[in-house]
Amino acid sequence: MAEMRTEALHQNAEGLDVQTPDAILSFLANAQIEAAKTVHGAIPAIAEAAELIARQLKAGGRLAYAAAGSSALMAVADALELPGTFGIARDRIAILVAGGDEAFRTLAGGPEDDTGEAAAAVAGAGISKGDCLIAISASGSTPYAVQAIGDARRQGAATIAIANNKGAPLFNQADVAILLETPPELIAGSTRMGAGTAQKIALNMLSTLTAIHLGHVHDGYMVNLTADNIKLRDRAVRMVAAISGRGRDDAARLLEESGGVVKTAILLAAGAANADAAEKILEGAGQKLRPALSALGHDPEKWNPLFGKDHALTKK
């Protein structure tokens, strides 16, 4: 453990407890910034992992997250946002956390070592061929995470490992290894800080790129969102209005006709005969809005009277 970067002493740690509050907070802020920068080195691996996840989801598989402690909190934060933000069905996502539901009240350390619990969680979730499991561990050696990724791999699932130490045992079971080589923590071993920050950023990048591959993003819009509250219903109207060039009232009407589905509403604005026809066009376009619009004769590289010369859809 002493040789792991995540357990080493930070260069600014000596005398930390007698520094001024402003100095301590500056050290903490700078340490977080340095940790965040390490994500750049993992971009190729994150890109590969996103392609793998998208491939499994497109084929009907599920996405599972397995982690313990602070890493589990990062996993949960990412996983729970996917249905609302990108419209990925909740039954396509599994979250395996050491300690189960009790972890969200106590986050005790003991369950991190419980390989039996990890094995039972993978089996209980039915992780198998066609699925993809992401295991996250700052040290890369947490027994729960190592057991979970190993069992998932043995069941034929695709596997992704995220860890903050080189040569982590977690990587041995991974189809894609994402190394986030963060500096030592200002508080040695407190990986909820720098390591956790890097994990959160990497997971955000990973799930967002996956969603783009799946056609859930158009330009900067989350066109596959689940509009289940006032804020998101308003966002859906604004997206349809912005992308189609229609007014808000017209956009709201089109959303009503589409059953609240943003992409379908936009295709109705673009000339699809009805919602069923729009959905068939989307299916043929792999659920991607841009090629679906092209199928309706709207070339995004040329001026179009429906969307306007300067509209986002007219851009490459």
Side-chain angles (χ1 to χ4, degrees), residues 26 56 159 173 209-211 263 266 299:
S26 292
Q56 300 296 85
T159 54
Q173 303 290 340
L209 183 55
T210 296
K263 286 188 281 189
I266 292 166
D299 187 343

Side-chain angles (χ1 to χ4, degrees), residues 19-30:
Q19 297 285 338
T20 66
D22 284 357
I24 293 170
L25 293 175
S26 292
F27 286 142
L28 286 167
N30 289 335

